[in-house]
Amino acid sequence: MQAKDIMTTSVISVPQDGKIEDAVRLMLDHHVSALPVVDVDGALKGLVSEGDLMRRVRDTDGPRRSWWLELLSGSGNSAKEFVKLNSHHIADVMTRDVVSVEEDAPVAEIARLLEKHRIKRVPVLREGPVVGIVSRANLLHALSALPDGALGEPSEDDRVLRSKIDEALKEVPGATVNLINYTVDKGNVAIWGVADSDFEENAIRVAVENVSGVHSVDIHMGRLAAWAYGI
């Protein structure tokens, strides 16, 4: 399996010239904990996460370091921290050294990257622009969908079917597509994520069942009311 076979394709990103307030609103509206930062062409420039933003809250309440520690650390470091804690521009706060993969990266390689860098997710690129996200949850879902625990090479038919399912899910009223993950194996679809209600889960199931080429649909969705997302 490759990144394109398991990635979440509904990527919520933020422009490089955006404001911190924009990032916060996007995270809350789309119930995500991190956002790729992209330029006007969609190319990856950085990543801004809840951790980056929460640090601003924590540090404003904490005591200032003594003047001699400031001196020993160097004025450059102090100025850098000042910018990160006080700027309203995403470009000043984002993490620039982002680990990413191409869409044809093997799943085993992605797992090694997550472990090596102790990160939760990697953006997936297609010759520059961001086209997906692979998280730890994506890897676990893919593994659990196969009875023998082996991530085999999907057929081209399954890859085409996955693209059709992507489009079908976008038509489900109220569904938060970026919280839905699924795998396709010989036309058999397994779905994970959260839904607001039984009605929404059934709508997701029907949408996928109606995609030509789908043989079966196995749903493993939890419940979380829409108003509770982001809490």
Side-chain angles (χ1 to χ4, degrees), residues 87-101:
S87 176
H88 290 276
H89 300 283
I90 289 173
D92 290 329
V93 176
M94 69 183 187
T95 299
R96 295 178 179 272
D97 187 16
V98 181
V99 177
S100 63
V101 298

Side-chain angles (χ1 to χ4, degrees), residues 93-215:
V93 176
M94 69 183 187
T95 299
R96 295 178 179 272
D97 187 16
V98 181
V99 177
S100 63
V101 298
E102 291 293 324
E103 64 176 345
D104 58 355
V107 168
E109 176 187 331
I110 298 172
R112 284 193 292 269
L113 285 173
L114 295 183
E115 182 68 19
K116 176 182 177 181
H117 297 280
R118 297 186 179 183
I119 53 180
K120 297 178 181 179
R121 64 188 70 80
V122 289
V124 182
L125 313 182
R126 180 184 296 154
E127 298 180 354
V130 180
V131 294
I133 297 285
V134 172
S135 67
R136 292 176 182 178
N138 294 129
L139 292 172
L140 290 174
H141 293 161
L143 189 61
S144 66
L146 301 175
D148 59 0
L151 296 175
E153 177 76 9
S155 67
E156 192 58 34
D157 288 343
D158 280 344
R159 285 175 172 160
V160 171
L161 193 55
R162 183 178 171 84
S163 297
K164 292 180 179 178
I165 293 171
D166 267 341
E167 296 304 314
L169 287 175
K170 293 175 184 176
E171 301 299 320
V172 178
T176 308
V177 182
N178 59 287
L179 294 183
I180 301 173
N181 185 40
Y182 54 91
T183 58
V184 183
D185 181 33
K186 299 181 178 63
N188 301 304
V189 183
I191 304 174
W192 292 266
V194 294
D196 187 32
S197 65
D198 290 348
F199 298 109
E200 185 175 295
E201 180 181 297
N202 284 333
I204 292 168
R205 173 183 55 79
V206 169
V208 176
E209 286 177 341
N210 285 341
V211 174
S212 177
V214 170
H215 302 318

Side-chain angles (χ1 to χ4, degrees), residues 53-115:
L53 304 181
M54 289 302 295
R55 183 183 177 197
R56 294 161 66 91
V57 176
R58 291 197 306 269
D59 286 0
T60 53
D61 293 335
R64 281 183 56 84
R65 293 193 300 175
S66 62
W67 65 269
W68 60 274
L69 283 178
E70 295 280 1
L71 181 63
L72 288 174
S73 66
S75 60
N77 288 338
S78 298
K80 180 179 178 181
E81 287 302 306
F82 180 87
V83 170
K84 279 188 171 291
L85 294 176
N86 293 278
S87 176
H88 290 276
H89 300 283
I90 289 173
D92 290 329
V93 176
M94 69 183 187
T95 299
R96 295 178 179 272
D97 187 16
V98 181
V99 177
S100 63
V101 298
E102 291 293 324
E103 64 176 345
D104 58 355
V107 168
E109 176 187 331
I110 298 172
R112 284 193 292 269
L113 285 173
L114 295 183
E115 182 68 19

